[in-house]
Amino acid sequence: MKHLLGIEQLSKEELERIVDDAVRLKADRSLDGPKPLLGETWAMIFTKSSTRTRVSFEVGLNELGARPMFLNANDVQLGRGEPIKDTARVLGRMVHGAIIRTFDQQDVVDFAEYGDIPTINALTDEEHPCQILADLLTIKELLGGWEDKKVVFAGDGDCNMGRSWAWAAKHLGFELVIAAPLMFQPDAAFIERLGEAPVILTEDMEFAVEHADVIYTDTWVSMGKEAEAEGRLRSLAPFQIHADLLKKANPGAIVQHCLPAYRGKEITEEVLEDRADEIFQQSENRLHAQKAVLLALRRGYFRG
Ligand code: CP
Ligand code: NVA
């Protein structure tokens, strides 16, 4: 069975193929196009909030002919303690695929194993692979590709987005600089698992942004970290994306944010509004990239 559990498990070829398929799907978004998932039902089990991921998957599934079944984890027995492996064994006998947003990566791994149906990680504390695929599509559209580009991820470098970016840099070979205070850089165990990769960790925001092509940020308080909000906002304040900082980047550099954005925290209102076109293009690309993922799972070309 093939799944999308993380960027970690993908190959360069798989990443490139998804992005190429997404380009084609975006160019031809006809509602009367082929429906390769016709008659299927896909469960969407979400333990955390979502706007973009939920809407883009519901619309994408509809466009490919499948019916999305949204299940708030609190409304199903999972929320009352039924184990994920039992939930997976039940759903695996009824639905054709599962899209899961939760905390623990192991829950998505277990669901894939016990459900025996295509399973997509729609964000865990460990990774957010669907977002990265949309980001790569956007970089291809706006910069022509990621080869020889310098990507900076600023802020909480140890969150799901920082980690997924690190795997993307490893597989695709572009330079990634993670600019974060020491305590918010990927931990030693992750760096060891990552192995050799073109990833630089720094606490120096100005050095990071010098000659950058993509300046990327994310909330400083990821879902589940709300209790740490005060300390995080204090420690991460020097890592804000603001107009003066962008002057150090390469001409033509783009600003990206997976959203939701917290203005005045990780990014200023001025930069967010000034770069709204590229940021909301990135957001739209969630739809096209995820349709490509659904097709890839149907055709079975993920190894994961
Ligand atoms: N970027 C992203 O995943 O947004 P949502 O949390 O709204 O799905
Ligand atoms: N790191 C953020 C991403 C939101 C899309 C979070 O996990 O909340």
Side-chain angles (χ1 to χ4, degrees), residues 206 238 240-247 266-268 270-271:
E206 302 216 344
Q240 183 186 63
I241 308 298
H242 55 80
D244 271 351
L245 187 74
L246 296 183
K247 291 180 187 148
E266 73 275 6
I267 191 165
T268 60
E270 183 190 5
V271 172

Side-chain angles (χ1 to χ4, degrees), residues 8-197:
E8 177 176 1
Q9 293 81 15
L10 299 187
S11 66
K12 179 175 186 283
E13 292 68 33
E14 285 165 326
L15 285 163
E16 288 170 347
R17 190 162 172 190
I18 296 294
V19 175
D20 288 347
D21 283 356
V23 169
R24 278 192 289 277
L25 287 161
K26 185 171 181 177
D28 181 19
R29 197 187 159 195
S30 52
L31 295 182
D32 57 355
K35 301 269 182 279
L37 307 187
L38 191 66
E40 296 191 359
T41 300
W42 281 59
M44 297 174 57
I45 308 168
F46 280 45
T47 310
K48 292 174 173 172
S49 306
S50 172
T51 299
R52 281 143 287 268
T53 309
R54 176 176 176 177
V55 173
S56 52
F57 265 119
E58 291 206 25
V59 172
L61 284 162
N62 268 307
E63 290 186 6
L64 295 175
R67 175 179 176 272
M69 180 194 280
F70 186 79
L71 301 168
N72 182 324
N74 290 324
D75 296 339
V76 291
Q77 298 288 8
L78 191 61
R80 284 174 31 90
E82 185 169 22
I84 192 83
K85 62 181 181 181
D86 292 356
T87 307
R89 285 184 282 201
V90 173
L91 266 61
R93 287 165 162 78
M94 298 183 190
V95 302
H96 303 88
I99 298 161
I100 303 176
R101 169 168 285 203
T102 192
F103 294 87
D104 192 347
Q105 176 76 11
Q106 192 58 43
D107 282 349
V108 182
V109 172
D110 288 348
F111 191 99
E113 183 186 342
Y114 288 94
D116 203 27
I117 49 173
T119 301
I120 297 174
N121 174 358
L123 181 148
T124 61
D125 290 347
E126 184 67 27
E127 279 226 39
H128 194 2
C130 297
Q131 181 67 56
I132 292 288
L133 292 165
D135 301 341
L136 291 172
L137 170 59
T138 315
I139 290 169
K140 191 176 179 103
E141 289 176 330
L142 294 176
L143 299 178
W146 43 80
E147 295 80 10
D148 304 322
K149 296 291 186 292
K150 175 177 173 182
V151 177
V152 175
F153 183 86
D156 178 6
D158 199 28
C159 78
N160 39 22
M161 286 308 309
R163 288 173 177 240
S164 286
W165 267 114
W167 290 113
K170 180 180 173 90
H171 299 321
L172 296 172
F174 58 79
E175 182 185 353
L176 174 72
V177 179
I178 295 182
L182 217 51
M183 66 187 295
F184 291 109
Q185 291 180 2
D187 62 27
F190 177 80
I191 293 299
E192 198 182 323
R193 203 167 89 228
L194 184 68
E196 207 170 304

